Amino acid sequence: MCGIGGVMNRDPSRPIDPNVLVAMAAIQSHRGPDGCGWKVVEDRGVGFAHARLAIIDLNPERGRQPFVSADGQHTIVHNGEFYDYKRLRSDLTSRGYRFATKSDTELTLHLADRYGLEGALPHLRGEFAFAFYEKAADRLTLVRDRFGVKPLYWAQTPESFVFGSEIKVVFAHPDVQRQISSQGLYHQLMQLMVPGTSAFAGVHAVQPGQMVIVERQNGQLRVQTKTYWDLNFPLLSDRASSQPDEFYIEELRRYFIESIQLKLEADVPVACYLSGGIDSCTILGVAAACQQSPVKAFTVGFDDRDYDETAISQEMAQAVGADQDIVTVQGGQLYEHFARAIWHTERSIYNTFTIAKMLLSEHVHNAGYRVVLTGEGSDELFAGYPQLRLDMILHGMQDASPAERADLEDWLQASNRIFKGNLLAETPLDDPSLTDAIGFTPSCLQSWLTAAHSVPSLMHSDRRAATRDYSPGAAIASVLDRSQIQGRHPLDKVQYIWIKTQFESQVLGWAGDRVDMANSMEARPPFLDHHLVEFAVTLPPLMRFRGRKDKFVLREAMRGLLPKGLYERQKFAFMAPPAHTDVAKQKAMRSLADDYLSQQAIEAAGLLDNAAVQQVLQQHADSNTSDSERTKLDAIINHMLSVQMLHQHFVAKDVPKQARDRARELGWQVQQPTLANA
């Protein structure tokens, strides 16, 4: 698990500055503190940078990237993990391929030699982002894993194509412009983003399951994208017949156990994140059965009983004999680390649980661990979120009577009352563009689209004018693959939409990789093994949500290891208490607002409207404002703080200089590295 970066020049004779490559590695040293590698492909105007976190093959020289094939034709720089690599390495060795390292990265060079790069991708199992250069074809390809667990960004300058694991890596190149776009600002203030975009003008994200292919043509760089994998929920016509419940339960159990076994593979100790949800509890239960010694489990707790899950997690840890370590976060503490979190997330956050997660990963790192198993993906695959279940009730239960639907909806709303105005919209919303593409506007997007109505008034007048006719719903609808939506069950549709939008940018992004890797922590999600997922999409809707049980199939498959109270418990979204629930937290938030939302700071950034900002702050402080309204205002204030911090971190400051200074601090210098040749 590492950080990568690189450059491809429009003119192959234009040299790559190695100092820039080293700086690109240094600014992401949190992703890879164990060493720097770089490589310039001579006379090709192509260069790579790598910051290494040693997980597989701890030898500092053998594991140093970039890797170059024995014939010099292929170069790869890789972030992430490929699982099942021992079996693949054995197979390739039996066919005459010779390995110079024990690193899983080297697999790709030999698989590409055997199958071609695109033909190699089905064999790669895990979470990854890598860049692969083919000398004969003069082609650079960026590849991101099937769900976007690992980030990867790119931008173009008049002379170059620049890429990196994080936006700050791209910005470390002195020719890349740094500016928050008006459309990007719009989406940062409403949380929901257009897939493939960022807050910054000209900075794009490689989308999950896609390749970005860069080739030189007629003196220019030609960039194209290609999808190599997608979820492929079955058509309704293919769901006409189904298997008995026991078939799905047994198959899920088999895939799940296999995934955990693979993800426990490392040359360093592996721990587990543990909350009070069945996702992390089932992972811990199976991991404990796989290990000879007690599994180390790390839990974050809050000083608010409505949001704290430590008691339930303790019950699970005791049941399987895990060694549990609980980190309790105080309310005001979260805002103290807000600016640091935004440096890592590189986008706005609506709830401070991402900061709690960052503090947890810091504690895990300090405890001597570099790898944890984590539960992301379960809610997406098995309809765990209340928004997904709401759409199943509203649109996917054709055989239910109106009274039965109403009863289930009332139950869902009552049991998720603290998420009103946040995960669940207070009033239904219909977006014409999304309804046209999907058949209805998914509930999982409605609360964020509702927030969009307040966005224009918050923006600086120039930014407001630039987005006068902008429709965020239409922008999102325009990038969705309708062939993956049409003809599907409503629950399949909303799971697909959520996975393509909020899951990638929020759950896996600012609540996942970005705050884990902020502390050099590799988080591995067993539920996102693509073999398991390709089975999970075939599950009938009633195997996901039945009666009043979310994640029905997972509960039944893991019933034997779950304590009774946890087996019966409804899904509870992992969130930190909003600011209005805690006096200390409100005070800490107001202190940040005094700095970042002052008139002087607002005028300097040119992003927000000062009068509108002050009105939001006053309304939040008004004791007559309802709790549900305050929940929405909490998110708005967090967004406003976020965009001001984004400007301060990445526009106002000289990022290329920061990167060079960081390289000097680390002692990472331009000296020809020892490269692994495979």
Side-chain angles (χ1 to χ4, degrees):
M1 196 64 69
C2 310
I4 67 173
V7 183
M8 182 176 189
N9 286 335
R10 178 177 59 81
D11 179 358
S13 66
R14 187 172 188 247
I16 301 287
D17 184 354
N19 290 290
V20 172
L21 297 177
V22 172
M24 292 172 76
I27 202 168
Q28 58 180 328
S29 59
H30 51 277
R31 298 190 71 89
D34 295 328
C36 169
W38 62 272
K39 166 70 176 175
V40 171
V41 183
E42 298 297 337
D43 301 323
R44 294 302 177 100
V46 176
F48 299 91
H50 186 259
R52 187 183 187 219
L53 176 64
I55 302 293
I56 303 293
D57 194 346
L58 305 184
N59 183 291
E61 294 305 320
R62 279 204 313 258
R64 189 188 300 273
Q65 295 188 40
F67 281 6
V68 183
S69 62
D71 61 5
Q73 285 298 305
H74 295 158
T75 305
I76 185 172
V77 63
H78 165 224
N79 165 35
E81 299 291 351
F82 299 133
Y83 303 107
D84 203 20
Y85 68 94
K86 290 182 178 178
R87 181 189 64 81
L88 288 168
R89 187 170 62 204
S90 298
D91 177 79
L92 288 166
T93 299
S94 73
R95 299 175 189 278
Y97 288 92
R98 296 294 175 258
F99 286 77
T101 77
K102 295 294 184 181
S103 171
D104 55 325
T105 301
E106 192 180 349
L107 276 176
T108 313
L109 293 170
H110 297 314
L111 287 170
D113 179 75
R114 179 167 172 76
Y115 301 108
L117 178 59
E118 193 167 350
L121 297 180
H123 297 272
L124 299 178
R125 188 173 184 174
E127 53 271 0
F128 50 82
F130 65 85
F132 193 89
Y133 180 67
E134 299 165 273
K135 198 170 186 179
D138 192 23
R139 178 168 56 234
L140 174 71
T141 304
L142 307 185
V143 182
R144 193 175 180 197
D145 67 64
R146 296 166 178 86
F147 300 95
V149 180
K150 295 290 103 185
L152 189 55
Y153 295 92
W154 61 274
Q156 282 188 271
T157 74
E159 295 297 330
S160 308
F161 178 94
V162 184
F163 67 89
S165 290
E166 297 184 4
I167 295 171
K168 61 180 67 68
V169 181
V170 176
F171 283 163
H173 193 292
D175 293 344
V176 176
Q177 298 297 306
R178 308 187 313 279
Q179 181 181 359
I180 295 174
S181 71
S182 295
Q183 290 80 10
L185 174 63
Y186 198 114
H187 284 274
Q188 296 305 302
L189 290 171
M190 63 177 287
Q191 186 67 206
L192 181 64
M193 292 177 64
V194 179
T197 69
S198 76
F200 300 94
V203 178
H204 310 274
V206 179
Q207 293 192 54
Q210 287 195 352
M211 303 182 290
V212 172
I213 304 163
V214 190
E215 298 174 296
R216 296 185 179 100
Q217 290 187 356
N218 302 319
Q220 300 297 322
L221 292 174
R222 177 173 176 262
V223 180
Q224 59 178 324
T225 62
K226 187 172 185 179
T227 298
Y228 71 86
W229 187 90
D230 211 340
L231 286 159
N232 293 323
F233 281 97
L235 293 167
L236 272 172
S237 57
D238 296 329
R239 286 199 180 278
S241 60
S242 62
Q243 301 287 341
D245 286 2
E246 197 60 28
F247 168 80
Y248 297 110
I249 291 167
E250 288 297 325
E251 284 294 279
L252 175 60
R253 182 182 291 120
R254 178 172 68 85
Y255 281 112
F256 185 52
I257 291 171
E258 179 187 41
S259 177
I260 290 175
Q261 288 174 323
L262 288 172
K263 285 180 167 54
L264 287 170
E265 178 68 38
D267 293 337
V268 296
V270 180
C272 291
Y273 281 149
L274 178 63
S275 70
I278 68 169
D279 315 326
S280 62
C281 287
T282 53
I283 290 171
L284 178 67
V286 174
C290 292
Q291 302 285 75
Q292 297 286 49
S293 56
V295 175
K296 186 73 174 180
F298 292 92
T299 299
V300 64
F302 299 110
D303 56 352
D304 185 318
R305 292 181 61 185
D306 281 345
Y307 293 83
D308 186 63
E309 298 184 326
T310 56
I312 302 168
S313 68
Q314 284 175 304
E315 184 179 359
M316 186 66 198
Q318 291 166 6
V320 300
D323 178 12
Q324 187 181 23
D325 191 344
I326 299 174
V327 180
T328 300
V329 178
Q330 304 298 316
Q333 186 180 1
L334 295 172
Y335 279 91
E336 294 172 9
H337 298 273
F338 200 117
R340 174 186 161 204
I342 297 301
W343 167 254
H344 289 290
T345 65
E346 301 178 331
R347 58 152 296 173
S348 66
I349 62 174
Y350 76 92
N351 182 271
T352 54
F353 74 83
T354 187
I355 304 171
K357 183 86 176 296
M358 183 178 71
L359 296 177
L360 175 64
S361 70
E362 183 176 50
H363 180 85
V364 176
H365 174 86
N366 291 338
Y369 287 84
R370 292 186 166 200
V371 182
V372 289
L373 301 190
T374 184
E376 282 86 357
S378 172
D379 292 309
E380 284 68 27
L381 296 177
F382 309 121
Y385 292 120
Q387 316 96 296
L388 302 179
R389 285 176 275 149
L390 179 57
D391 280 335
M392 175 67 171
I393 294 167
L394 295 176
H395 308 289
M397 300 176 65
Q398 294 85 351
D399 296 332
S401 69
E404 289 171 327
R405 284 200 192 96
D407 178 63
L408 277 173
E409 187 176 352
D410 288 344
W411 158 77
L412 186 70
Q413 298 284 0
S415 57
N416 291 277
R417 58 178 177 77
I418 67 172
F419 302 127
K420 196 77 170 175
N422 195 322
L423 298 182
L424 292 170
E426 284 197 281
T427 55
L429 176 145
D430 179 75
D431 183 278
S433 298
L434 289 167
T435 296
D436 178 66
I438 302 162
F440 54 91
T441 300
S443 297
C444 62
L445 304 186
Q446 286 188 30
S447 61
W448 315 113
L449 291 168
T450 299
H453 295 313
S454 65
V455 166
S457 65
L458 296 173
M459 299 171 72
H460 186 281
S461 57
D462 293 343
R463 303 291 189 151
R464 192 182 310 132
T467 55
R468 181 172 291 114
D469 299 320
Y470 184 71
S471 167
I476 293 166
S478 69
V479 300
L480 296 174
D481 184 349
R482 295 197 182 199
S483 70
Q484 292 286 355
I485 300 169
Q486 294 167 350
R488 267 70 175 190
H489 187 277
L491 185 59
D492 295 342
K493 291 182 179 183
V494 296
Q495 287 182 214
Y496 182 84
I497 298 302
W498 174 263
I499 289 170
K500 291 297 179 180
T501 55
Q502 292 294 71
F503 182 55
E504 180 267 334
S505 67
Q506 178 178 302
V507 179
L508 294 178
W510 64 255
D513 171 89
R514 312 309 288 276
V515 291
D516 288 317
M517 290 300 285
N519 297 296
S520 308
M521 283 298 307
E522 174 179 302
R524 299 177 172 182
F527 285 107
L528 295 183
D529 179 84
H530 77 278
H531 292 264
L532 186 158
V533 172
E534 287 170 355
F535 163 72
V537 298
T538 69
L539 290 167
L542 286 177
M543 291 302 296
R544 290 169 262 169
F545 179 46
R546 181 178 299 184
R548 296 188 176 186
K549 285 184 181 177
D550 60 274
K551 295 185 274 197
F552 174 80
V553 66
L554 179 62
R555 290 178 190 274
E556 297 307 309
M558 295 291 119
R559 186 172 187 169
L561 63 79
L562 292 172
K564 184 174 184 293
L566 184 55
Y567 166 78
E568 295 175 347
R569 184 176 184 247
Q570 187 190 163
K571 159 70 183 180
F572 187 92
F574 176 56
M575 293 179 65
H580 74 267
T581 63
D582 182 335
V583 173
K585 201 171 184 181
Q586 285 190 63
K587 184 177 179 181
M589 184 185 75
R590 295 297 302 205
S591 178
L592 276 186
D594 289 343
D595 289 338
Y596 289 94
L597 298 178
S598 67
Q599 182 174 348
Q600 181 180 5
I602 288 171
E603 289 176 354
L607 301 174
L608 301 175
D609 181 279
N610 183 61
V613 170
Q614 302 313 317
Q615 183 178 357
V616 169
L617 293 173
Q618 290 168 12
Q619 188 178 355
H620 185 271
D622 189 339
S623 59
N624 294 318
T625 302
S626 68
D627 283 347
S628 62
E629 184 64 23
R630 278 187 170 187
T631 298
K632 290 191 291 186
L633 292 172
D634 279 328
I636 291 171
I637 294 170
N638 287 340
H639 290 154
M640 296 190 304
L641 288 170
S642 296
V643 298
Q644 288 291 103
M645 290 173 183
L646 287 172
H647 176 270
Q648 184 65 27
H649 285 321
F650 302 109
V651 179
K653 291 185 178 177
D654 186 340
V655 180
K657 182 179 183 301
Q658 280 184 290
R660 295 192 299 271
D661 290 345
R662 181 60 179 154
R664 281 192 290 272
E665 290 172 14
L666 294 167
W668 291 2
Q669 301 174 352
V670 174
Q671 53 188 12
Q672 188 63 42
T674 302
L675 296 172
N677 292 287

